[in-house]
Amino acid sequence: MTIGTEHEFSINDSGFTPQPVSDQILREVCGRYESEILFGEVKLGKELQKTVLEMIPRHPVDELSALETQLVKGMAKFNHIFGNRYRLLGLGMHPTARPADIPVWDHDEGEYYEVYNRLFNIRQHGWLNIQALQINLSYANEKHLVSQYNRIRTLLPYLIAVTASSPMVEGRLTGTCDNRLVYYRNNQKEIPLICNRIVPGMIRSVADYRSVQEQVFCELRSRDAEILCEEWVNSSGLIIRFSRKCLEIKALDEQESIRSDMAVCAFVRSLLRCRSLPVEHDHEALLALTEEAVGKGTAGFRPELEALYNAAWAHATADERTFLPVIHDRIANGSLAERIHDRVSRGEGIVPVLEDMATALRFNQPYMTG
């Protein structure tokens, strides 16, 4: 099973004010405004908001160490070119950004954004201030695809708990660990089936999946939005990308370092090798667990997460075991959201916290306890 990832990082000045310069960065590298460019071992790309840059490994791989190498080289190249002009920052949302201050990409694909804005109003959190870690897992055939899809959906609440990293909105702690998902799951509420409450239902075949997809397409056509009738319009926490022959996990907050992102990948892949797991399968139960994960991070799941970690370790490759201790640390000591909340609620300013997070990304050193 090959794996690829997509990473979204905010672009900041030295004081961690978001900088709407993704277009300027891409033009500086290649000489013109482009949506995506080759950049050594990675690709750099735009997102809807100009304050975010996407980094994608150039090639899917079998081993996570090879994936990490591509991304670390890409980050080093970025830092070599831009030095201290820009500070890249992970996390699921920028903790102080305001949508009113964030410009939208305006060089191409405007026809898509115009329709999205007409239907859903993109000038809000959930559109302009979200940063995801997306994991793409290949599948061999339809039987394998259906099996993996159904297993991943049962893992989503636990993965959300471990990866929650967005406890602040516009400079304020909200008491919720994963504010990105709070906004993301409602950003297309006018057509609820697009996001489908984050955790999708079980499928028995590809036809089941396509049936739900066609319902979305029919709704879009009825609103004169046929331009959006593509596989990527699905915004559930797990979707199928038939054009890439992969499953795409979309529910996860971006982490603070590439190594931490790879640890999440290792956790997912090793769990998928387990013949059985102590998880819920009922859809309503999974939705309830997701609510708890969004609200509390790992705090409400430690015994369950410990059991999953032990199962993951037992089924992990040697390569994956080099990354998994980061997950154990998250389970034992809290998600990034919980740790950020603790530091800020004790009176620490947000800038020193973000300095630690940006340093973790720059030097690929996970933010860990002990």
Side-chain angles (χ1 to χ4, degrees):
M1 182 196 303
T2 61
I3 186 168
T5 48
E6 301 170 47
H7 308 258
E8 297 168 359
F9 304 119
S10 64
I11 311 161
N12 301 272
D13 65 13
S14 59
F16 297 100
T17 300
Q19 300 297 295
V21 293
S22 62
D23 54 348
Q24 303 301 322
I25 288 171
L26 293 166
R27 186 177 70 167
E28 186 167 338
V29 172
C30 75
R32 58 191 180 278
Y33 294 121
E34 292 285 351
S35 297
E36 184 178 88
I37 61 172
L38 294 178
F39 189 70
E41 295 288 315
V42 300
K43 301 173 186 175
L44 292 183
K46 56 88 175 172
E47 285 295 318
L48 172 64
Q49 64 272 45
K50 284 190 180 182
T51 54
V52 166
L53 198 65
E54 183 178 55
M55 187 175 291
I56 306 171
R58 197 160 176 176
H59 307 289
V61 297
D62 292 314
E63 298 224 326
L64 293 173
S65 55
L67 198 66
E68 181 186 43
T69 295
Q70 291 182 60
L71 290 158
V72 168
K73 287 183 177 179
M75 190 63 64
K77 184 178 177 71
F78 181 91
N79 290 325
H80 176 73
I81 292 173
F82 295 102
N84 291 320
R85 285 166 56 192
Y86 305 119
R87 303 292 304 276
L88 296 183
L89 182 68
L91 309 182
M93 291 176 67
H94 192 286
T96 65
R98 297 166 48 90
D101 302 329
I102 301 175
V104 171
W105 179 267
D106 56 0
H107 299 287
D108 59 7
E109 300 186 1
E111 64 275 21
Y112 296 100
Y113 301 151
E114 181 180 339
V115 175
Y116 269 127
N117 192 47
R118 172 170 60 82
L119 296 181
F120 307 118
N121 178 22
I122 62 176
R123 304 294 317 181
Q124 57 181 309
H125 293 298
W127 286 102
L128 294 183
N129 185 17
I130 53 173
Q131 296 165 219
L133 162 65
Q134 295 176 190
I135 301 176
N136 301 312
L137 300 164
S138 66
Y139 58 84
N141 50 46
E142 179 170 345
K143 181 179 178 181
H144 185 233
L145 165 61
V146 170
S147 171
Q148 297 295 78
Y149 183 95
N150 287 331
R151 290 171 71 80
I152 293 170
R153 65 178 283 277
T154 68
L155 295 174
L156 287 180
Y158 307 99
L159 298 175
I160 290 167
V162 167
T163 59
S165 66
S166 48
M168 299 184 73
V169 179
E170 298 186 20
R172 298 184 303 276
L173 293 169
T174 67
T176 294
C177 283
D178 199 326
N179 285 286
R180 182 184 72 91
L181 284 185
V182 169
Y183 288 102
Y184 176 82
R185 67 187 177 187
N186 289 317
N187 71 354
Q188 296 168 85
K189 61 184 183 298
E190 292 81 1
I191 306 179
L193 203 55
I194 290 180
C195 187
N196 204 20
R197 299 195 289 177
I198 299 296
V199 179
M202 186 174 67
I203 61 173
R204 294 166 296 177
S205 65
V206 166
D208 282 354
Y209 183 89
R210 289 195 183 277
S211 175
V212 175
Q213 187 179 59
E214 185 55 34
Q215 292 177 57
V216 172
F217 289 175
C218 285
E219 184 66 32
L220 289 168
R221 293 186 195 106
S222 75
R223 298 174 184 238
D224 193 27
E226 188 167 3
I227 190 174
L228 302 181
C229 292
E230 302 286 350
E231 65 181 13
W232 41 254
V233 78
N234 187 342
S235 297
S236 181
L238 171 66
I239 71 171
I240 303 173
R241 297 298 296 265
F242 297 103
S243 62
R244 301 179 185 174
K245 204 173 182 182
C246 73
L247 290 158
E248 182 174 287
I249 303 174
K250 298 171 68 70
L252 312 179
D253 277 10
E254 179 59 71
Q255 300 300 285
E256 86 293 3
S257 69
I258 300 300
R259 176 144 287 232
S260 297
D261 288 338
M262 296 299 101
V264 178
C265 295
F267 195 41
V268 174
R269 286 217 304 184
S270 53
L271 286 173
L272 290 177
R273 295 194 195 96
C274 301
R275 293 180 63 86
S276 63
L277 291 168
V279 293
E280 288 284 353
H281 293 81
D282 176 74
H283 192 215
E284 291 302 319
L286 289 168
L287 292 173
L289 288 170
T290 297
E291 284 300 309
E292 189 167 4
V294 165
K296 298 180 181 178
T298 65
F301 292 91
R302 289 215 167 86
E304 296 89 342
L305 286 168
E306 286 284 359
L308 287 174
Y309 184 82
N310 291 336
W313 186 266
H315 291 82
T317 64
D319 175 65
E320 289 160 353
R321 286 185 176 183
T322 65
F323 299 98
L324 280 175
V326 178
I327 299 300
H328 191 266
D329 180 73
R330 296 285 195 265
I331 294 168
N333 299 299
S335 63
L336 286 177
E338 293 162 83
R339 298 185 199 196
I340 293 170
H341 180 278
D342 288 348
R343 289 180 63 176
V344 175
S345 63
R346 291 197 303 264
E348 188 169 349
I350 187 60
V351 170
V353 176
L354 298 185
E355 182 68 44
D356 287 348
M357 299 298 160
T359 299
L361 180 61
R362 188 180 187 98
F363 296 104
N364 196 30
Q365 296 172 343
Y367 184 79
M368 296 174 68
T369 299

